[in-house]
Amino acid sequence: MQLRNRMVPWLWLAPAGALLIPFFLIPILITARNSVYIDDPMGFLKPGLSFASYAKVLSDSYYLAVFGNTLMAAAAVSVITLVVSYPFAWLLARSSGSSRGFLLWAVYLPIYVSVIMRVFGWMVFIADSGMLNQMLVKIGLIDHPVRMINEVSGMTIGMIHRYLPLMILPLMTSLQKVDDSILRASANLGGGQWFTWWRVVMPISLPGAVAGTQLVFAGVLSDYVIPTLMGTTKFQLLAPAIYYEATTNAAWALSGAMATIVIVVVASFLVIANLILKRVAPWASI
Amino acid sequence: MGQHLMAPRSHLSPGVPSRFFAALVVLFLLGPIAIAGIVAFSSGNRLEFPIPGFSLRWFAIALSKPQYIEGLTASVVIGLGNAILATIAGTGAALALSHYRFRGRSIIQALVMLPIAMPAIVLGLGLLFTLTIYDMQPGLLAGVLGHAVLGVPYVVAMVTAALSNYDRSVERASMNLGVGPVKTFFKITLPLIRGGVIAGGVSAFLISFDNISLSLFITRGDTLPLRLMQQLLAYADPSVAAISTLLVLASLACMVLLLPLALRRR
């Protein structure tokens, strides 16, 4: 009976194991393994232990530019979404009734609409002869239409649109923990608005900000759709580059090395963010 | 209200500037979706907004394109297969993790949630490498299995939430009365956590239906999002908006139908 009881949780876990071990764990391990194999010019992957792929990826100016572009885009989109999300999530956390329902709906709806449809809408809106350019010319901000589609600017707009809800939602969750009584306490003790924000609201909301930044950062880092549909070949990003190396070039070791670097970047970002969080906001349990 | 006297006003009711800001953000979030939805009803041949006139012809064109219909079929098959697998695997894992204390529990908890954090492009690449080892071809089966991996953490999260306010004494009573564990699960546990299980399965389906990064590597390029992407890259016409609008309406209908089922108590 004792033995049987000990088996029970593992029986419940069996289906997940049967799925995740062969189709999640092993693929990740094989990616790491391939990254130290050698790409044969004949198109075969030769076993071995070589860091040639890493050396190539981390020294060749093309790959360095791809990594640099991607990190830059991820950082820019994270910062912009964070700045936009804070006041909006604050408003959302303090609103109630039908206005809250509407705002929440406006944040959730884009998540449920396919990314293709969202990109399509932007393509129409920011096109050379699109509504945005027409409006900007009419109010005199620009003399002639600016090219945004298939440029870095258009791609960034598309990414902000794709990832903004992922920043707003965790921020809102943590901002909801800022109780009115805490604000009143701070005000009654003489804390001004800035003091209250910096010393009360910001620390309480930090876990949400960190969680949102992690989601957005990792999302941009591995985004394939937006760079492909809205980006430009002059500003290559990582996910399309990995796909290209793996399929068109059949460079499995090289693409394996790039993917392994992505995992390392995402994992170290997670670890560093959580370390900072533990230091700055030790009460937050993530 | 005493609160107004004691707290700075701005903390309680938003002023005009913040309302304006909120309106801008909402416009930013919903605007492109609305534009795409409106262009689907365009009578023109080009992508133009505002549309020259109202017509349903792009819906007819979209529904007569074989590549869209094939894509839709592939996506529905992969979505349903993945939802079934992810729901079974995820529900089992959530039960094991929240009802039992055992060695390695925290590692397994991290492992089942890891597919959310893993960049999809990396997982797709790994599956591309691995499929050849299993002697599998990219296609429907590979798509179902790969997408199910992505669905598991969502099912685990939602079933775990449903289990958090679940009283195990009913289950124990059932077992003590001599009802077997399998019958207890289907008669007692499952009905009580039904909302979480349905929500998890629907999430797995929706995530699969919109997936591109994984499908690129493990399908034959025949899922609907991939077909729509190819169309957008080659020649963008309002048929893409028409089919997307139909999908939004379909998923709204699904939610309206499934929500009462998920929320119904006991």
Side-chain angles (χ1 to χ4, degrees), chain A residues 232-256:
Chain A
T232 159
T233 47
K234 284 172 283 174
F235 194 82
Q236 277 278 349
L237 291 195
L238 201 47
I242 290 180
Y243 179 69
Y244 178 79
E245 294 295 346
T247 55
T248 312
N249 273 1
W252 282 20
L254 193 78
S255 54

Side-chain angles (χ1 to χ4, degrees), chain A residues 200-221:
Chain A
V200 180
V201 177
M202 208 278 286
I204 296 180
S205 64
L206 207 58
V210 169
T213 309
Q214 285 170 349
L215 287 174
V216 173
F217 192 85
V220 175
L221 212 60

Side-chain angles (χ1 to χ4, degrees), chain A residues 8-10 12 22-23 27 30-31 34 84 87 91 112 114-115 120-122 124 131 161 180 193 222 224-225 246 252 255, chain B residues 3 10 12 14 21-22 28-29 32 47 49 92 96 100 108 119 125-126 129-130 133-134 145 185 206 210 212 216 229 241:
Chain A
V8 171
W10 295 104
W12 282 116
F23 296 103
I30 286 182
T31 305
N34 279 359
V84 174
L91 208 73
Y112 285 101
S114 82
V115 64
F120 184 93
W122 280 113
V124 174
M131 207 177 169
H161 188 250
D180 271 347
Q193 283 215 19
S222 64
Y224 178 87
V225 187
W252 282 20
S255 54
Chain B
Q3 290 176 353
S10 62
L12 293 171
F21 175 76
F28 175 78
L29 285 170
L47 296 186
F49 183 83
Y100 300 93
I108 289 186
L125 183 71
F129 296 152
T130 321
I133 296 176
Y134 301 150
L145 291 163
F185 173 75
L206 290 175
D210 198 23
I212 287 175
L216 272 175
M229 200 171 90

Side-chain angles (χ1 to χ4, degrees), chain B residues 169-180 183-184 187-188:
Chain B
S169 56
V170 194
E171 192 183 294
R172 288 212 191 87
S174 163
M175 298 278 260
N176 287 345
L177 290 169
V179 182
K183 204 173 176 194
T184 302
K187 290 276 174 196
I188 309 286

